[in-house]
Amino acid sequence: MAQIITEVSRTFNEFLLLPNRTRTDCSPATVDLRTPLSRHAVGERPAVELRVPFTSAIMQAVSTPELAIALARNGGLSFLHHNRSIQDQVAAVGQVKNVEAGAVTGAATPHSDARPDDMTRPLVGAGVNTHDYRERVPALADAGVDALCFDSSDGYSDWQAEALAWVKKHYPEIPAGGGNVVDGDAFVFLAEAGADFVKVGVGGGSICITRDQKGIGRGQASAVLDVAAARDAYRERTGVHVPVCSDGGLVHDYHVALALAMGADFVMMGRYFAGFDQAAGAKLATRDGFVKEYWGEGSNRARNWQRYGQGGQGLLFEEGVDGYVPYAGDLGEGLALTVAKLRTTMVSCGSATLEEFRSSARLTLVSDQSFQESHANVALRAASPAVH
């Protein structure tokens, strides 16, 4: 008989943060957003650290070399997609690594005691699959890639465990993440296989239809809470912290704060970054303003069969769609605004670091009526000017 999980599958829209006491020494200017990308012993520094908790999705429509450079300049990290030849992906990594020295400030760092104004060239990650990793990973390592991430719609598999073990045996110096998963058991499975971080989320992406097509997935808030709890238990048991990445379900800027409060060490976003100038999609004019093309890796346009376990050497049915996102301008300006919102949210919650935020945040469930109350109602205000 099938096992029934009675806990409701919840999304970020179903939660709000409660304010905590804000100390006089806690202000947006003093908030420290540094966070580990790679596993590390408790009390020791991670091999790779982000200065802001943002990574861009392993997608053709998102993570171009131009976006990777821009995101690195602002403290995050991009994972260049693998749905192309090894030579093309290696060339993309080289394009990022060969950007003019000295052009990157405040970037992600190879270790936490590096100064933000030292920077070698920017850090860049690459997505890999479980099919050709024995050929792809050595070429990416030679190109100087700083982090790898196995990219799968379902990472709870023996294939991914075997691939992670191979990478950690032959290239232990390169952090390699695994995923995607939605529960604690799957987290432990990948952590014990050697994953340096674990990516959480199945079916929550804005252009993903895996849940519609296969009935597989979990609300992103429930998935992050469950995996983060397993991460904490694993740390208590082993003395090793394996970072958690929340991937998908992030519709609004404040959802990032919720994901981090629920335990994620950093987030990965596709739709958010797809709207910027540096993303791959074409910029198009519409009656209501400019948009940019955006398509899922499970769409017929991408045909990324390596990511989806459908069998064979092709995409039998779509698990993603094509669409458009509002044009968002330059990445640096847009990300700065999102970071400013995150800092002020953390201050309202009395937290000056992400570790403090995760440990002290208080969350409340939101009813449908409470959710509606959260939004401006212009018509009501116009009809009732005496109501304040």
Side-chain angles (χ1 to χ4, degrees):
M1 181 177 177
Q3 180 185 6
I4 305 297
I5 306 299
T6 57
E7 178 194 347
V8 175
S9 179
R10 299 193 180 276
T11 69
F12 291 132
N13 274 341
E14 298 177 76
F15 291 89
L16 286 174
L17 287 156
L18 298 181
N20 285 338
R21 174 190 170 191
T22 302
R23 306 182 306 274
T24 56
D25 63 343
C26 184
S27 70
T30 62
V31 168
D32 185 351
L33 294 178
R34 288 180 296 176
T35 194
L37 178 82
S38 56
R39 75 157 62 207
H40 58 281
V42 174
E44 295 184 0
R45 297 184 176 97
V48 175
E49 182 178 69
L50 304 175
R51 292 191 176 274
V52 296
F54 295 90
T55 60
S56 64
I58 310 170
M59 299 177 68
Q60 299 170 50
V62 179
S63 294
T64 63
E66 293 80 10
L67 190 136
I69 293 167
L71 185 51
R73 284 173 171 159
N74 287 276
L77 185 79
S78 289
F79 287 91
L80 301 175
H81 79 87
H82 57 89
N83 191 23
R84 50 183 158 179
S85 70
I86 294 172
Q87 293 76 15
D88 285 351
Q89 192 182 25
V90 165
V93 169
Q95 188 175 337
V96 179
K97 299 303 290 185
N98 292 326
V99 72
E100 182 180 355
V104 182
T105 58
T109 57
H111 47 78
S112 59
D113 59 354
R115 298 182 336 206
D117 57 349
D118 284 345
M119 285 311 288
T120 58
R121 295 175 185 93
L123 302 190
V124 63
V128 290
N129 60 67
T130 57
H131 300 274
D132 66 3
Y133 62 91
R134 291 180 179 87
E135 297 77 39
R136 189 173 293 268
V137 170
L140 291 168
D142 289 343
V145 76
D146 298 288
L148 301 168
C149 184
F150 279 95
D151 182 39
S152 172
S153 64
D154 176 16
Y156 195 3
S157 73
D158 290 348
W159 295 289
Q160 190 161 131
E162 292 170 3
L164 280 165
W166 186 91
V167 172
K168 299 318 298 180
K169 176 182 178 181
H170 295 281
Y171 297 93
E173 73 283 3
I174 304 177
N180 284 22
V181 302
V182 295
D183 64 71
D185 290 344
F187 167 86
V188 173
F189 177 79
L190 292 182
E192 291 182 343
D196 287 296
F197 62 89
V198 174
K199 199 147 64 76
V200 180
V202 173
S206 61
I207 39 68
C208 182
I209 55 173
T210 291
R211 296 178 191 174
D212 290 337
Q213 294 283 56
K214 291 164 46 174
I216 292 173
R218 193 178 195 181
Q220 189 67 5
S222 292
V224 171
L225 287 165
D226 192 354
V227 172
R231 184 268 321 277
D232 293 346
Y234 183 87
R235 181 179 59 217
E236 289 296 315
R237 178 166 58 88
T238 66
V240 174
H241 181 87
V242 178
V244 166
C245 170
S246 177
D247 174 22
L250 300 163
V251 179
H252 305 291
D253 282 354
Y254 81 90
H255 287 169
V256 174
L258 288 173
L260 297 170
M262 290 175 181
D265 293 88
F266 59 97
V267 301
M268 176 176 283
M269 296 190 289
R271 179 198 57 82
Y272 174 87
F273 287 110
F276 292 124
D277 286 320
Q278 294 88 345
K283 179 182 174 183
L284 305 172
T286 72
R287 182 176 54 188
D288 299 318
F290 287 100
V291 297
K292 291 204 70 177
E293 293 179 309
Y294 184 42
W295 60 97
E297 287 299 294
S299 68
N300 278 326
R301 177 171 179 174
R303 301 202 64 80
N304 188 358
W305 64 267
Q306 301 99 322
R307 193 179 196 277
Y308 299 91
Q310 298 180 7
Q313 299 290 305
L315 195 68
L316 303 179
F317 56 89
E318 288 188 295
E319 293 189 42
V321 298
D322 293 20
Y324 303 93
V325 295
Y327 171 62
D330 179 71
L331 181 147
E333 295 176 1
L335 184 60
L337 178 59
T338 301
V339 168
K341 292 179 184 179
L342 175 58
R343 290 179 183 275
T344 56
T345 298
M346 289 174 60
V347 168
S348 292
C349 294
S351 300
T353 67
L354 288 174
E355 184 176 3
E356 186 179 16
F357 191 39
R358 287 191 294 268
S359 65
S360 64
R362 296 184 299 156
L363 295 156
T364 182
L365 283 168
V366 177
S367 69
D368 181 66
Q369 288 299 311
S370 180
F371 181 77
Q372 296 303 321
E373 184 184 63
S374 299
H375 305 290
N377 192 322
V378 178
L380 175 61
R381 290 178 179 176
S384 308
V387 178
H388 298 288

